[in-house]
Amino acid sequence: MWTSGRMRNAKNLLGLGMSLYFWGLMDLTTTVLSGSARPLTEGQEDNLSDKLHQRMKRSWVWNQFFVLEEYTGTDPLYVGKLHSDMDRGDGSIKYILSGEGAGIVFTIDDTTGDIHAIQRLDREERSQYTLRAQALDRRTGRPMEPESEFIIKIQDINDNEPKFLDGPYVASVPEMSPVGTSVIQVTATDADDPTYGNSARVVYSILQGQPYFSVDSRTGLIRTALMNMDREAKEYYEVIIQAKDMGGQLGGLAGTTTVNITLSDVNDNPPRFPQKHYQMSVLESAPVSSTVGRVVAKDLDEGINAEMKYSLVDGDGLDVFDINTDPNYQVGIITVRKPLSFESKKSYTLKVEGANPHLEMRFLNLGPFRDTTTVHITVEDVDEPPVFEPSFYFVEVPEDVEIGTTIQTITAKDPDVTNNSIRYSIDRSSDPGRFFYVDITSGALMTARPLDREDVSWHNITVLAMELNNPSQVGSVSVTVKVLDVNDNAPEFARFYEAFVCENAKAGQLIQTVSAIDRDDPQDGQHFYYSLAPEAANNPNFTLRDNQDNTAWILTRRSGFRQHEQNTFYLPILISDNGRPVLSSTGTLTVHVCSCDDDGMVMSCNAEAYVLPVSLSRGALIAILACIFVLLVLVLLILSMRRQRKQPYIIDEEENIHENIVRYDDEGGGEEDTEAFDIAAMWNPREAQLVVKNRQDMLPEIESLSRYVPQACVMDNNVHNYVLAKLYEADMDLWAPPFDSLQTYMFEGNGSVAESLSSLQSVTTDSDQSYDYLTDWGPRFKKLAEMYGATDSSGALW
């Protein structure tokens, strides 16, 4: 049997007079308890003699070995001794150790059974080892005893200090918190055995952070220790906490950690304006919503507690200005609410209030949490563009209005004190078709081209007003012109109508339904009236029925249509509208006569089969066509030969009117001819001077005829209408040369020595026309008199 090395011999322990080292008699010896031997009980002694003569089962009975950790000696640490009762000390027994750490951590003397630890043991790494022991016959290697297990436990010593595994810590607590407010709980861990002594018993204390904070020695809970801690005075605190084992006794190990504590903000500071009076200025031309200036109220708090709300609480500009809060910078932005006018009011005074919208009830005694300041705003004068009154024009005009008619007078004025003169014009980008013209001085809006509602029913033009002394100041106004409809378009067929009638059609049969369209848009709606044209009123073949729903039916009046007699009919139909005045047009319906089957299905509408003789064969038809082709070739050949013949062209020199070159010595001066007329008369004929300005570069051949014209006609008030009408005619005539101005010479008409040159009252034939009076007109008309004067009887006027 086995015994530990700490046992005495069996004889001394049991008081027996014989040796107890019999092989296999384990029950007759002691067992190992906690590393020491325990004597046999009296019951075991009574049974000892009975069992000496019996063969007992071999078995191992072991308990635990104990060894201290962290051995620092140079020699192996003795753990214990294994001994078999069959070992007689002659070295015949060999002890073998196996299991956890065998041969690496623990070794055994195979002769004596002594166990030693050859490495430093650490309970925190491993608290126990399980090993197996066996006794062998050294000579034969045969096991002397069955293999048995035993445990070596590592006893703890205080070799680990407490550690804060989650440190360093970050925490926050509201400022002005009451004493004892919880901040954060810290926890230290000791790796020593908590069941063995006080090695793992931790006590907390504060090394840095007093008198602001305290810590619970048992739980590690940190609390505030000072009242009225103000974030605005000090915001950040660094607290050092110590954890010491051995219950805080002398010799215990300690560890520390850092806790960074921040005081969070509360609304305990009211806002205050740094100045009680602000001076600002703004241009009177500043647009609505433009910024005038900024005011700011300081608040020592931060975040939501420093948010501001600004408002206007008093002053004479509450309806002219507004204030908004910038959420990013917490400033009050004063803006323009209504248009400003220096001429109306030159300054304003506002009372601005800034307040905290988020309040805490427990700090209301520190208020009030609002403040006011005064803002004085001066309006500065600027040169403003002309202003239209009203600011928008809506004009309705019928589409048949004459060119040059004034449809609206546009009015603008200079809002400045100087009240400069205004000149009007039209923004041509808004009127690309140039349908309108505005008088430059009066602002009268007139038509410059005919209006057609069917082409353009709405015109949106922009009229500009410019100061005469400062052309950079330009105002604008929108003028919407609605073109009213007049009945100026006759109705017409909606499409080209082509009908077919069968030869076997009966009288009263419907062959076509027609409808019409009208580009006009009368207020009462469209209604068309249909009838046959007067020349077809008594048409024997077809009749018309007006359905009174803007459609009409075309019916046959008879039966028995024949293709060989007439294969196409043209039926004129008169279409009238219900406008004022009534307009009408004539549309033609083409009706083809076709051969049909019994069901009325068209078979053929070609009448050639009835035109050709029945007896004419195909060969004869080909011969006739060949003869016609030969005749055409001969005719073309003769005509080409005749054209190649040259005939002399002799004509009387006097008759060659087209070859005459008429030369006038009175020439104009081109662009340098500034003496011919006064261009200012075209801008404002009312201001034209009555003094005749004679040319200096040449003398007239004849005396001006304008002296015979009454000067009152120069002041004609319809000059605008005349100019606009002529301008429209020139724009519409693609072959007319362009002109830049209009000069009225007044060499004819009432008061002129030449009287009227119009041919309206002349006779219609050239033979009765006499040009002898041209000789009385002077040298300037001499050449005309020679060309169109009296000629011989054989002459002819070209």
Side-chain angles (χ1 to χ4, degrees), residues 157-301:
I157 64 174
N158 188 22
D159 60 340
N160 292 279
E161 73 277 3
K163 294 182 179 180
F164 293 91
L165 302 181
D166 298 330
Y169 296 86
V170 177
S172 65
V173 63
E175 63 173 330
M176 312 299 287
S177 295
V179 174
T181 301
S182 298
V183 179
I184 190 173
Q185 184 175 9
V186 297
T187 302
T189 302
D190 196 319
D192 293 327
D193 188 0
T195 63
Y196 182 76
N198 294 326
S199 299
R201 182 186 173 195
V202 178
V203 174
Y204 300 94
S205 61
I206 184 168
L207 300 182
Q208 177 181 313
Q210 295 175 331
Y212 307 103
F213 300 96
S214 63
V215 63
D216 189 291
S217 61
R218 185 175 58 86
T219 63
L221 180 62
I222 301 175
R223 294 185 173 90
T224 58
L226 189 66
M227 63 184 304
N228 297 332
M229 287 192 294
D230 192 358
R231 184 197 66 86
E232 289 73 29
K234 185 176 181 180
E235 184 175 3
Y236 301 101
Y237 295 86
E238 184 180 75
V239 179
I240 298 179
I241 302 297
Q242 175 184 268
K244 189 174 183 180
D245 59 11
M246 298 298 292
Q249 297 178 4
L250 186 64
L253 302 179
T256 60
T257 188
T258 301
V259 182
N260 296 311
I261 302 176
T262 302
L263 296 184
S264 60
D265 185 61
V266 298
N267 192 6
D268 59 339
N269 293 280
R272 292 293 179 262
F273 283 101
Q275 58 189 87
K276 291 300 181 180
H277 184 272
Y278 288 85
Q279 182 70 35
M280 302 178 183
S281 62
V282 60
L283 298 177
E284 65 170 333
S285 59
V288 175
S289 299
S290 61
T291 300
V292 178
R294 291 173 170 83
V295 296
V296 59
K298 299 295 184 179
D299 194 327
L300 298 178
D301 297 322

Side-chain angles (χ1 to χ4, degrees), residues 54-82:
Q54 297 178 5
R55 183 174 182 84
M56 304 302 297
K57 179 180 178 181
R58 299 183 181 92
S59 61
W60 297 89
V61 179
W62 295 98
N63 211 320
Q64 302 173 349
F65 287 98
F66 293 89
V67 62
L68 292 176
E69 63 173 335
E70 303 294 345
Y71 173 71
T72 59
T74 58
D75 297 331
L77 176 63
Y78 180 76
V79 177
K81 182 180 182 64
L82 297 180

Side-chain angles (χ1 to χ4, degrees), residues 470-481:
N470 188 1
S472 63
Q473 297 298 327
V474 179
S476 63
V477 68
S478 296
V479 181
T480 299
V481 180

